[in-house]
Amino acid sequence: MDDSSTAVDSHSHLAPPEPVIDLRGVIKRFGPVTALDGLDLSVKAGEIHGFLGPNGAGKSTTIRLLLGLQRANAGRLCLFGRDPWRDAVALHRRLAYVPGEVTLWPTLTGGQAIDTLLGLRNVKQAPRRAELLERFALDPTRYCRSYSKGNRQKVALVAALAADVDLLVLDEPTSGLDPLMEEVFQQCVAEAAARGTTVLLSSHILAEVEKLAHRVTLIRAGRAVQTGALDDLLRSAGLGDLTAPPSLESVFLSHYATPGVP
Amino acid sequence: MYLYFTARALGGVYSDQAARETYAALNRIALTEHLFNGPGYGVDTLGGIVVYEAGGYVLPVVALLGVFLVVRHTRAAEDSGLAELTGATAVARRAPLGAALLLAAFSGLLVGLTAAGALLLQSAATGGLLPVAGCCAYGLGVALAVAQFAVVAAVAAQWADHARVANGLGGVAVGLAYLARAVADVRDEPWALATPLGWLQGLRPFAGEQWGWTALALVWLGVWAGAAFWLGARRDLGAGLRRPRTGPATAPAAWGRPLGLTWRLGRLTIACWAAGLFVFGLALGAVADGVMPYAASWDADVEAWLGGDRTAGFFGLCAVVFGVLSACAGLGLVFRARAEETAGRLEHVLAGPLGRRRWGGAQVAVALAGVAASLLAAGLGLACGRRWSMNDGQTWETLGAVAAHLPAAAAVTTLATLLVAAWPRWAPAVWGYVAWSLAVPLVGTLLRLPGWAQDLSVFNHTPVIPLSDGNQPGWALTALAALAALLLATAAVAWRHRDLPGTARSQPRVPGK
């Protein structure tokens, strides 16, 4: 955890960095349902930001707003200082996205799907493609319709990680991966962060976030309930309960285990 | 539940049809009808006419029902993993196939009984004009049509490694059977009775029933069902007999562009439509010479239906049908684009530096290319067939008459585009409009539909070629093209402002909507 906090510190030496992602009081409604209810989220350049919350808390909706796929009803949204809805195409040159539930073209092979996704991102050179295929043990000659969920996830991960970007948006990227592949994934994300890539990591897997993230935001019912550096969060949780070692799980459960208490 | 409604709808069609026939003339017979409907036994009785008018269409449709039913409960269940879940319980390996076939048999029986029942009801209403034996024979034929192709689909489901492939194979089997019967009937060949749909019509409901054909059908059922079980015992769950193939590990650069990718995903569909419509056109053109001698027996209704010149009328009718069918090809491609959205792939793709309109434009371009390709292929087939059978020097005119429907077909395609772009939930309604557009030329005049109702179909506004004097084709076609462009422009605006995915998988379900 020490090396991760220094990573954050090294950035604070620079001129006051503008946050890569900056959401203030964002509201998104679907008919009578309010998916996001005044969400605040700030992700600094170069950090791995864990984005945590139970199912239906609004994580995927937030990501769709950030990608300009949906439009917020109210609030301020900034991605690299620009409007994600209006400047979607220009902003998307700087990011790569891994959806939570990857569906691929059934009649294409895995390798073809990777090349297609890279091509649609205007990536000409994908220096890490072959290396990543090997690390994730993915056979690129098989047709996508015969892939398991984990293999489809790997295709999206290879396509996202093969070329350099400024921002990685990962929506529960490891669902369906086995523990070995999850380990590979964590190495890859850590390497990306070392190259200076900012990462928004939405996840259920607390151990993964605890291992990777510099800062975390916990959301519940479309609102951020806690945000801050991971170490601070753990320290504050540890004060309350001296019998158990402080863990992200205890922080998480303190927010969600007792309904009605924010 | 689904079957109940299907059957009820069928019943509705029958009573309608029967009522209609009593007041329409009794002796309308044309060879084109032989093509679509079959030989027509006992068309001098009400029962014969009902069977003839409705029967020819019903058999292949219920046959497809049998195909989809079996594939859904065998191969599709394996694809989705459901079969693995049930297979792990105390259920025998061959049980799912047996259950699917039983279900198909039961559905066939139900549809057959409903068909027979509807005819009997109608008979009671019209004072016993439809003999009981005929009603039963027709019901039997319908039930056997479901079963005969259900067993074919069962074999396809063992061979194929994916539900879509199995459905496609089953559909091709039905199409081939229908085509074989159609060609044989038009040429008045006795081997029409040797085709799976032909021997069902050989049961001759209302025309001296020949029950012996049932035995042949039962032999067919036994052979195919046996083959399905035999093959089923020789493969793994979730895998077909066809080994899963591997393919190239890299993609050409063109697929990294929206147009290239859309073309790659749609090209097989387009090729199938074009090839199918070319064969269909060729068949219609080739039998055209046989249609004309029957013209003497047509009555005033048919006269009005085809217009003054029978040859031109026949080809004009073919042209409209091809126009509508090519619009169906376009619709299929537009709904494929919608499927990219509902499957979640669109989100993934649009997270790249790719504008929505550029993606949407590629979809529309490929859909319209598909419309044009299928329409031209159909026109080419019809023209070649005409040249072969009639050789009346009208080859290019025939092609032109079919191609003239391009703006109308494009307008329907862009209507579907607008619906998908703005109100995706309502988009499937466009199929209803297409069905209407097909009904207008086929039965519009016969049913004496009011002019405005017929004019709702855009295909009614395409000028008929060859042009009569003073008939200016230009502005009607321009107007249709302008309509298509307007629909497209509206779609482009709506598309830019919609949330994606609209009515998404993971969005909260809105109650009361």
Side-chain angles (χ1 to χ4, degrees):
Chain A
M1 217 49 59
D2 285 343
D3 52 5
S4 62
S5 49
T6 47
V8 175
D9 288 343
S10 68
H11 281 280
S12 56
H13 294 308
L14 306 170
E18 191 180 349
V20 170
I21 296 173
D22 195 17
L23 304 189
R24 296 280 167 79
V26 170
I27 292 173
K28 176 65 186 174
R29 293 188 201 93
F30 298 106
V33 177
T34 302
L36 296 183
D37 188 14
L39 178 77
D40 298 324
L41 174 67
S42 179
V43 177
K44 293 177 195 156
E47 74 177 3
I48 299 178
H49 195 103
F51 191 38
L52 297 170
N55 292 325
K59 298 192 299 294
S60 292
T61 303
T62 307
I63 287 175
R64 288 200 180 107
L65 292 178
L66 281 172
L67 293 174
L69 295 167
Q70 297 182 346
R71 202 168 196 174
N73 294 95
R76 201 175 82 96
L77 289 93
C78 268
L79 188 61
F80 295 110
R82 297 168 78 174
D83 179 354
W85 174 270
R86 215 181 40 237
D87 303 323
V89 173
L91 287 171
H92 291 178
R93 283 185 225 286
R94 306 181 61 181
L95 63 84
Y97 166 57
V98 176
E101 199 164 303
V102 179
T103 48
L104 300 165
W105 301 278
T107 54
L108 264 54
T109 64
Q112 289 175 332
I114 290 170
D115 285 352
T116 301
L117 287 168
L118 285 168
L120 291 169
R121 272 171 47 203
N122 286 343
V123 174
K124 301 283 182 275
Q125 298 285 323
R128 288 184 292 277
R129 183 185 186 273
E131 174 210 324
L132 283 165
L133 282 175
E134 199 166 313
R135 284 172 77 180
F136 279 110
L138 183 69
D139 178 359
T141 62
R142 278 179 57 194
Y143 281 90
C144 292
R145 62 165 169 262
S146 68
Y147 275 149
S148 65
K149 178 168 167 42
N151 278 334
R152 292 200 302 270
Q153 208 75 33
K154 288 181 197 173
V155 168
L157 282 169
V158 171
L161 294 166
D164 286 337
V165 284
D166 296 329
L167 172 66
L168 277 171
V169 179
L170 310 175
D171 189 1
E172 294 175 24
T174 54
S175 48
L177 291 190
D178 61 48
L180 284 174
M181 290 305 134
E182 213 178 293
E183 187 64 34
V184 175
F185 163 79
Q186 290 176 10
Q187 287 167 9
C188 289
V189 170
E191 287 164 20
R195 288 191 294 269
T197 306
T198 310
V199 182
L200 178 66
L201 173 63
S202 151
S203 180
H204 281 310
I205 301 169
L206 299 172
E208 174 182 293
V209 175
E210 195 166 355
K211 208 161 163 188
L212 286 172
H214 308 138
R215 295 203 314 140
V216 293
T217 296
L218 283 77
I219 75 165
R220 174 175 158 169
R223 209 191 287 248
V225 288
Q226 192 163 13
T227 186
L230 185 67
D231 296 352
D232 296 343
L233 249 64
L234 294 180
R235 208 170 298 127
S236 65
L239 289 178
D241 183 3
L242 294 170
T243 54
S247 73
L248 190 54
E249 191 178 347
S250 56
V251 178
F252 190 81
L253 290 177
S254 74
H255 282 293
Y256 304 115
T258 48
V261 182
Chain B
M1 198 68 175
Y2 167 71
L3 261 174
Y4 171 77
F5 282 111
T6 313
R8 218 172 69 157
L10 276 177
V13 169
Y14 286 119
S15 46
D16 257 15
Q17 195 89 17
R20 189 181 304 153
E21 290 308 326
T22 43
Y23 105 93
L26 283 177
N27 57 350
R28 283 183 289 105
I29 302 163
L31 209 53
T32 38
E33 299 268 297
H34 282 215
L35 183 74
F36 292 117
N37 292 354
Y41 299 112
V43 283
D44 50 350
T45 65
L46 176 62
I49 290 169
V50 172
V51 168
Y52 180 64
E53 279 295 318
Y57 299 118
V58 167
L59 289 182
V61 171
V62 296
L64 284 177
L65 177 80
V67 168
F68 295 147
L69 203 65
V70 165
V71 171
R72 193 178 131 194
H73 288 282
T74 54
R75 173 54 60 190
E78 287 180 43
D79 287 353
S80 69
L82 200 64
E84 207 168 322
L85 208 61
T86 52
T89 63
V91 168
R93 175 191 306 279
R94 58 173 65 181
L97 177 57
L101 287 179
L102 268 180
L103 183 65
F106 183 70
S107 310
L109 213 59
L110 201 66
V111 175
L113 279 175
T114 317
L119 289 178
L120 282 171
L121 267 178
Q122 195 56 38
S123 173
T126 53
L129 273 172
L130 302 167
V132 176
C135 298
C136 293
Y138 185 67
L140 179 67
V142 170
L144 286 174
V146 177
Q148 281 186 169
F149 287 92
V151 289
V152 173
V155 170
Q158 308 309 312
W159 183 79
D161 55 356
H162 208 256
R164 257 169 57 182
V165 180
N167 272 330
L169 286 173
V172 166
V174 175
L176 282 179
Y178 188 70
L179 196 70
R181 189 215 40 76
V183 169
D185 275 338
V186 166
R187 310 200 68 86
D188 211 11
E189 305 264 8
W191 56 263
L193 286 169
T195 64
L197 288 174
W199 67 60
L200 293 183
Q201 297 190 335
L203 288 169
R204 298 197 178 200
F206 305 107
E209 290 78 8
Q210 299 189 350
W211 302 95
W213 294 107
T214 313
L216 190 55
L218 289 177
V219 171
W220 168 280
L221 289 181
V223 169
W224 284 92
F229 279 111
W230 188 80
L231 292 173
R234 273 154 194 79
R235 68 181 186 93
D236 290 335
L237 183 79
L241 287 166
R242 193 173 74 148
R243 291 270 131 239
R245 294 169 303 144
T246 55
T250 56
W255 300 3
R257 289 188 283 277
L259 197 59
L261 177 63
T262 313
W263 171 248
R264 163 64 186 80
L265 297 175
R267 65 188 183 189
L268 185 65
T269 312
I270 294 176
C272 287
W273 270 103
L277 286 185
F278 178 79
V279 171
F280 194 18
L282 205 60
L284 280 177
V287 300
D289 63 329
V291 180
M292 300 315 154
Y294 277 81
S297 68
W298 290 351
D299 65 7
D301 265 340
V302 182
E303 203 83 305
W305 179 37
L306 287 184
D309 180 352
R310 284 165 187 149
T311 310
F314 171 74
F315 283 104
L317 184 64
C318 291
V320 182
V321 169
F322 287 139
V324 177
L325 288 177
S326 68
C328 289
L331 256 54
L333 291 160
V334 170
F335 281 104
R336 192 176 257 271
R338 165 71 178 150
E340 289 288 297
E341 181 184 350
T342 48
R345 290 188 286 267
L346 176 60
E347 240 176 292
H348 203 168
V349 162
L350 286 188
L354 168 65
R356 287 176 177 211
R357 286 193 192 179
R358 213 176 131 220
W359 183 86
Q363 308 300 314
V364 174
V366 170
L368 290 178
V371 172
S374 350
L375 193 59
L376 286 179
L380 212 58
L382 190 65
C384 290
R386 184 178 193 175
R387 191 183 171 84
W388 178 72
S389 72
M390 298 179 72
N391 201 14
D392 56 356
Q394 296 279 307
T395 311
W396 292 111
E397 285 77 359
T398 310
L399 181 57
V402 177
H405 282 286
L406 184 59
V412 176
T413 307
T414 50
L415 174 67
T417 309
L418 173 61
L419 288 175
V420 165
W423 307 281
R425 206 190 282 263
W426 300 104
V430 75
W431 288 112
Y433 180 75
V434 169
W436 177 256
S437 300
L438 195 60
V440 163
L442 287 180
V443 295
T445 318
L446 290 180
L447 297 185
R448 302 199 169 83
L449 292 174
W452 62 264
Q454 298 198 27
D455 280 346
L456 281 179
S457 161
V458 284
F459 296 95
N460 225 27
H461 300 282
T462 301
V464 176
I465 295 176
L467 300 164
S468 48
D469 296 331
N471 189 350
Q472 289 296 320
W475 81 262
L477 293 182
T478 315
L480 283 171
L483 173 68
L486 181 72
L487 288 168
L488 206 55
T490 321
V493 173
W495 178 237
R496 207 162 75 116
H497 294 288
R498 175 151 84 73
D499 277 354
L500 294 175
T503 58
R505 304 162 286 147
S506 48
Q507 269 174 18
R509 188 169 296 236
V510 179
K513 249 195 181 177

